[in-house]
């Protein structure tokens, strides 16, 4: 209850367990808790009845919170690839790239994710030394910036739905969506 910021009263109200029953359970005055009560408590915490009956939920939550800052995502190592190498490595497997380049840690969905180390200014928004975490070959979600490459212009940005930035040409290569920016 503490981890969710609940008082005994608010917990009882939100789970539908009567206050009297809840107080008896917490004080250890009940030997046999009804299955429906266990189910309501388990549903509130988003776990199975087995976890409520046989495990220390507080200990489980403590372990989960220490695994990562977000509490439910583990860090993944992603390669930091210099801009000058990035295009030539666009089809390379991430597993191979982490053995060739330094890595950084990223918390989130990490399938096909790499870090681009900016070497040349990109659209007056990113400068040498900045790190862009890119979901390669993945279209934008939530209006993220998309990174493209053109032989004549180099790397450039386009925001999903923003037609004013630049009209795409057939020679423009889609790199991926920028999911995190680490400005130096």
């Amino acid at each position: 209850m503490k981890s969710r910021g609940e008082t005994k009263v608010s917990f009882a109200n939100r789970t539908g367990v009567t206050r009297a029953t809840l107080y008896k359970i917490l004080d250890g005055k009940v030997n046999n808790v009804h299955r429906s009560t266990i189910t309501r408590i388990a549903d509130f915490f988003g776990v199975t009845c087995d976890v409520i009956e046989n495990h220390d939920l507080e200990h489980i939550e403590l372990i989960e919170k220490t695994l990562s800052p977000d509490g439910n995502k583990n860090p993944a190592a992603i390669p930091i690839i210099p801009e000058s190498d990035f295009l030539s490595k666009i089809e390379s497997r991430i597993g191979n790239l982490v053995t060739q380049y330094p890595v950084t840690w990223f918390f989130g969905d990490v399938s096909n994710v790499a870090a681009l180390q900016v070497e040349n200014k990109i659209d007056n928004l990113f400068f040498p030394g900045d790190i862009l975490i890119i979901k390669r070959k993945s279209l934008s979600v939530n209006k993220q910036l998309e990174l493209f490459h053109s032989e004549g212009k180099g790397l450039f940005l386009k925001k999903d739905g923003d037609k004013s930035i630049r009209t795409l040409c057939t020679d423009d290569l889609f790199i991926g969506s920028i999911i995190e920016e680490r400005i130096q």
Side-chain angles (χ1 to χ4, degrees):
M1 291 174 10
K2 281 188 249 176
S3 71
R4 301 293 199 288
E6 298 289 337
T7 64
K8 291 176 184 176
V9 173
S10 67
F11 184 76
N13 290 337
R14 294 192 59 192
T15 60
V17 176
T18 66
R19 281 189 249 168
T21 300
L22 179 63
Y23 286 20
K24 288 177 186 175
I25 292 170
L26 293 174
D27 292 338
K29 295 180 180 177
V30 177
N31 293 331
N32 191 8
V33 179
H34 290 285
R35 190 71 175 167
S36 62
T37 302
I38 295 170
T39 301
R40 288 176 183 197
I41 294 170
D43 288 347
F44 176 83
F45 287 108
V47 297
T48 64
C49 290
D50 177 65
V51 171
I52 296 296
E53 293 174 312
N54 301 311
H55 300 282
D56 181 355
L57 186 57
E58 186 176 17
H59 180 70
I60 291 170
E61 286 187 338
L62 176 65
I63 289 172
E64 287 179 353
K65 286 181 182 177
T66 60
L67 292 178
S68 78
D70 295 327
N72 63 351
K73 297 176 186 172
N74 291 318
I78 59 170
I80 302 172
I81 306 167
E83 181 181 333
S84 54
D85 289 352
F86 203 86
L87 286 177
S88 66
K89 304 297 182 180
I90 197 75
E91 299 296 331
S92 299
R93 293 181 178 264
I94 298 296
N96 292 335
L97 295 172
V98 295
T99 63
Q100 299 172 25
Y101 294 95
V103 297
T104 187
W105 298 101
F106 178 73
F107 293 87
D109 178 15
V110 293
S111 61
N112 206 20
V113 174
L116 173 118
Q117 184 168 22
V118 177
E119 295 175 328
N120 300 297
K121 181 173 63 170
I122 303 173
D123 290 358
N124 283 327
L125 190 56
F126 302 111
F127 298 90
D130 292 348
I131 303 285
L132 304 178
I133 308 297
I134 299 175
K135 186 146 179 83
R136 300 185 310 172
K137 307 274 181 146
S138 176
L139 295 174
S140 168
V141 179
N142 298 328
K143 306 288 185 199
Q144 296 164 322
L145 288 173
E146 294 174 336
L147 186 65
F148 291 85
H149 180 268
S150 160
E151 285 300 322
K153 302 236 181 205
L155 292 175
F156 66 93
L157 304 168
K158 181 180 182 302
K159 190 167 189 170
D160 182 34
D162 188 357
K163 294 171 180 46
S164 67
I165 292 179
R166 185 170 189 274
T167 304
L168 296 178
C169 300
T170 56
D171 295 337
D172 293 340
L173 173 66
F174 176 61
I175 306 296
S177 297
I178 299 173
I179 56 177
E180 185 177 311
E181 305 160 5
R182 297 181 184 171
I183 308 301
Q184 299 300 319

